[in-house]
Amino acid sequence: MLRFYVKNILETGRRRLSFEALQKGNVKVRCHILCWSVSYAVLQISEQAENPLKDLFGRHHTYLRISLTERCNLRCQYCMPEAGVKLSPNEQILTTEEVIYLARLFVNEGVTKVRLTGGEPTVRRDLVSIIVAITTNGLTLTRQLVALQRAGLDILNISLDTLKSDKYEFITRRKGWERAMMGIDLALQLGYDPVKVNCVVMKGFNDDEIIDFVKFTQDRNVDVRFIEYMPFTGNKWEFNKLIAYKDMVATIKKEFPDFYPLENGPNDTSKAWKVPNYKGQIGFITSMSEHFCGSCNRLRITADGNLKVCLFGNTEVSLRDAIRSGCSEDDLIALINAAVKRKRKQHAEFFKVPYTSPVANLYPHLFNTNMNSILARLYSTDQRRDYSKTLSHVNDEGKAKMVDVTEKDITVRTAKARATVRINYETSDLIKDVTTKKGDVLSVAQLAGIVGAKKTSELIPLCHNIPLTSVAVGVKLNYEEKQIEIEATVRSEGKTGVEMEALTAVSIAALTVFDMCKSVSNDIVISGISLVSKSGGKSGNFPNQPATVREPSGKSEPSNPTEIRVGII
């Protein structure tokens, strides 16, 4: 059969087009065009139907990833804000029938591999009905894997970023390391060959476990894939946390000098390596330092039915809306074809701007003065900016002003804030033994935080000077994680909130820690300064209000908690 393409139709009224394509070879064509007013039409007829999944750069897309849900039962720090993200209404999520229909359509057009993702796909109740291959955090595999395998699950990726249970809870903000490990063991027992284990590597988080993960492959048929830390909406991405592929290989070769690369397929996103005589192998997904755009064969469908041709692209096409509006299969294929044809040559084009620094010279394609324009969207599309909101401390002329609280009611206001100070082993030992030159770091930082809260209006120009009824600052050493955790709760009975007092308290306490420890080391990072909760104000309580993640755009500003970097990491 032949496929006809209307290249350009300019019209002034309504139209109805119908085409009939006859046999191949000695082509005979009947073409009926019934229209009230058509100014111009060009039909391109080809003896060989064009592959709708082939882009303008000759890439055939044979791998489809379908997100089944925006929900997740973890809150991994590199992936999602602690409060979660704004979820699409259930009626906007693809139904079971729509998922199966789209998967079948793409397979008919040449897709050879379909993977189900999320969010976390195993939280979707109808997973068994639509199973093919999944990427999961593994928490529910001990309950579900046998049934999933019987339903046809033949490829399994499990996300695991640490081999230490306490660090797992710190990274994911949830318990579950033991269940994830049991899921891996069960998958191996059920004969999955191999079990793929995805590990996002971040400096200061789990880079000290790279060798441990390599050793994990010694007697297990697992493919551990180290993934370079990538920017996603809400994950507070920064370049200094990125560990490049070549640096990871160099680290492994110090321990295993005979670590060697394996041959990779033309569309493999993972660069495979192996330690001789080890049962499993290691892979590296180098999306940041060495992108694989030239051989990319992947397409993605979000949980709410949008087709993404590039993970780093902002352009999306709603296949859900097309299906629900009664779009025919041929028209749907044409819509997909148009989206694929718009795919860029490489995602690096989103980063192109002059940027002068040593790391920018090493990885010039990673930099853009507006990084927010390339953040990947994993969740809801309905995150438009509310233009009715304005800055409270700016007048109509754009000048600074103090908010007038005269007419506000007097209520009990409470706010809680948090901060973290990351330190090295030597500093941790000195603080634990109370042997720093300036004395008890934790006690002094606690007192400094209390004083800071009381002095907020003197430090922040537009803050009101309000009487505080309570200031509680907690400063504790987390020796295992090599960090100091600071939390402040401030209370007042008045007409304005005490969020700034709580934030000032943890900031001053963190800076005090740095001041008292800087003679020992400059490897100190103050991070995660954020408002945890507030209550008593007219705007309602926080965090009871759902978190909103805005759609990436060229003009939006990141709404991440503050991170202050001091010294050298």
Side-chain angles (χ1 to χ4, degrees):
M1 297 292 289
L2 304 177
R3 186 168 290 146
F4 293 83
Y5 295 91
V6 179
K7 300 293 288 186
N8 189 16
I9 297 179
L10 306 176
E11 58 178 326
T12 57
R14 296 181 62 184
R15 73 182 188 279
R16 179 161 60 89
L17 306 178
S18 67
F19 304 99
E20 291 184 20
L22 301 183
Q23 73 270 19
K24 192 175 178 181
N26 184 17
V27 180
K28 297 179 181 178
V29 178
R30 275 202 315 263
C31 178
H32 301 287
I33 303 181
L34 303 176
C35 57
W36 291 351
S37 178
V38 178
S39 302
Y40 176 68
V42 177
L43 301 180
Q44 179 184 6
I45 302 174
S46 166
E47 288 197 19
Q48 292 185 348
E50 183 180 350
N51 182 350
L53 303 185
K54 181 180 179 181
D55 66 18
L56 296 177
F57 303 97
R59 293 173 294 200
H60 293 268
H61 295 82
T62 58
Y63 184 0
L64 177 66
R65 299 173 69 93
I66 303 177
S67 174
L68 294 184
T69 178
E70 296 167 355
R71 300 179 183 276
C72 187
N73 47 9
L74 297 179
R75 292 292 181 271
C76 298
Q77 297 189 32
Y78 57 81
C79 181
M80 189 186 293
E82 185 172 4
V85 297
K86 183 179 179 180
L87 300 173
S88 299
N90 287 337
E91 61 269 17
Q92 294 183 11
I93 301 299
L94 291 175
T95 65
T96 304
E97 293 74 19
E98 288 168 340
V99 170
I100 294 173
Y101 172 70
L102 286 172
R104 183 180 295 116
L105 184 147
F106 275 87
V107 168
N108 288 341
E109 296 301 324
V111 162
T112 58
K113 181 178 180 181
V114 179
R115 179 174 295 279
L116 303 178
T117 65
E120 169 52 40
T122 61
V123 304
R124 182 156 169 161
R125 295 178 181 178
D126 59 353
L127 177 62
V128 173
S129 302
I130 51 181
I131 195 67
V132 277
I134 64 170
T135 297
T136 172
N137 57 37
L139 295 189
T140 65
L141 286 183
T142 52
R143 289 190 291 106
Q144 293 181 295
L145 187 54
V146 173
L148 293 175
Q149 188 180 52
R150 288 174 180 169
L153 177 65
D154 55 2
I155 302 176
L156 182 63
N157 283 38
I158 300 175
S159 298
L160 183 71
D161 301 310
T162 178
L163 296 174
K164 301 177 181 178
S165 60
D166 55 342
K167 188 180 289 186
Y168 180 93
E169 184 175 348
F170 174 73
I171 292 176
T172 66
R173 304 185 179 104
R174 298 289 189 276
K175 296 183 182 295
W177 179 83
E178 290 80 5
R179 283 184 287 158
M181 294 298 294
M182 289 168 62
I184 293 174
D185 290 340
L186 177 60
L188 290 170
Q189 293 172 26
L190 292 177
Y192 282 93
D193 182 17
V195 176
K196 295 181 180 180
V197 176
N198 294 342
C199 175
V200 177
V201 181
M202 294 169 288
K203 186 174 295 183
F205 270 65
N206 58 354
D207 56 319
D208 59 333
E209 295 187 65
I210 291 176
I211 299 301
D212 293 337
F213 270 103
V214 175
K215 293 178 179 179
F216 189 69
T217 69
Q218 183 172 4
D219 53 6
R220 296 178 179 88
N221 187 20
V222 294
D223 180 0
V224 174
R225 288 127 57 90
F226 292 126
I227 302 173
E228 293 180 340
Y229 178 44
M230 295 182 292
F232 296 104
T233 301
N235 75 343
K236 298 179 284 185
W237 187 88
E238 57 180 299
F239 182 81
N240 287 333
K241 290 182 180 178
L242 170 66
I243 300 182
Y245 155 59
K246 290 183 178 178
D247 295 331
M248 287 188 273
V249 170
T251 297
I252 296 171
K253 281 201 165 188
K254 289 180 181 178
E255 181 76 16
F256 303 98
D258 49 358
F259 187 56
Y260 68 96
L262 302 174
E263 185 176 351
N264 298 302
N267 296 118
D268 288 349
T269 58
S270 178
K271 296 177 172 64
W273 288 67
K274 190 176 180 66
V275 175
N277 301 319
Y278 273 33
K279 194 170 184 178
Q281 65 182 50
I282 299 295
F284 300 90
I285 297 178
T286 62
S287 303
M288 301 303 289
S289 65
E290 295 184 13
H291 67 73
F292 36 81
C293 301
S295 60
C296 178
N297 67 332
R298 297 187 177 197
L299 299 172
R300 290 172 171 82
I301 298 177
T302 63
D304 52 356
N306 284 345
L307 174 64
K308 288 178 68 74
V309 297
C310 177
L311 178 63
F312 285 86
N314 291 329
T315 302
E316 299 178 359
V317 175
S318 180
L319 303 183
R320 178 203 65 202
D321 291 349
I323 293 172
R324 294 181 184 180
S325 63
C327 181
S328 69
E329 185 169 307
D330 283 344
D331 288 341
L332 191 59
I333 292 172
L335 182 65
I336 294 168
N337 176 255
V340 171
K341 290 292 187 291
R342 290 199 301 270
K343 185 170 182 175
R344 294 174 179 263
K345 184 177 181 180
Q346 60 187 50
H347 67 65
E349 295 179 19
F350 289 100
F351 297 83
K352 286 183 179 176
V353 293
Y355 190 97
T356 55
S357 78
V359 291
N361 292 331
L362 289 174
Y363 309 112
H365 63 287
L366 298 184
F367 290 88
N368 190 308
T369 52
N370 192 352
M371 280 291 292
N372 213 41
S373 66
I374 56 87
L375 294 180
R377 185 189 77 78
L378 296 184
Y379 308 104
S380 170
T381 53
D382 189 18
Q383 311 289 348
R384 304 296 179 183
R385 175 181 170 183
D386 182 358
Y387 286 94
S388 65
K389 295 182 179 180
T390 58
L391 296 174
S392 59
H393 290 70
V394 177
N395 62 19
D396 294 337
E397 299 176 352
K399 305 294 184 180
K401 70 169 185 177
M402 179 176 280
V403 175
D404 187 353
V405 298
T406 305
E407 303 300 324
K408 290 188 175 183
D409 295 331
I410 296 176
T411 60
V412 176
R413 314 288 185 115
T414 304
K416 180 185 291 186
R418 183 179 296 157
T420 301
V421 184
R422 297 203 296 268
I423 53 182
N424 61 17
Y425 286 89
E426 181 182 9
T427 307
S428 297
D429 289 335
L430 292 174
I431 293 175
K432 184 179 180 182
D433 298 334
V434 197
T435 55
T436 56
K437 292 182 179 180
K438 295 187 178 183
D440 184 351
V441 172
L442 304 183
S443 296
V444 175
Q446 181 185 32
L447 292 174
I450 295 173
V451 173
K454 296 163 66 177
K455 296 283 186 180
T456 298
S457 62
E458 299 178 26
L459 299 171
I460 312 296
L462 300 181
C463 282
H464 294 83
N465 185 4
I466 56 177
L468 304 179
T469 59
S470 173
V471 179
V473 178
V475 183
K476 67 177 182 179
L477 172 66
N478 186 332
Y479 186 77
E480 295 298 324
E481 298 296 337
K482 299 298 177 285
Q483 64 185 24
I484 294 174
E485 297 165 353
I486 306 169
E487 188 171 279
T489 302
V490 180
R491 184 173 289 109
S492 173
E493 187 174 356
K495 296 185 174 185
T496 187
V498 288
E499 300 98 297
M500 291 306 302
E501 284 71 17
L503 288 165
T504 301
V506 296
S507 300
I508 296 298
L511 290 169
T512 301
V513 172
F514 174 79
D515 177 58
M516 297 186 68
C517 299
K518 65 180 186 293
S519 63
V520 179
S521 170
N522 285 324
D523 295 344
I524 302 173
V525 178
I526 299 174
S527 66
I529 300 176
S530 59
L531 182 67
V532 177
S533 64
K534 77 177 186 72
S535 62
K538 181 180 178 181
S539 60
N541 296 341
F542 171 88
N544 292 338
Q545 297 174 336
T548 298
V549 181
R550 292 176 294 178
E551 182 176 83
S553 66
K555 296 182 180 179
S556 62
E557 293 292 330
S559 54
N560 300 330
T562 305
E563 177 149 333
I564 304 172
R565 298 202 156 267
V566 186
I568 303 170
I569 301 176

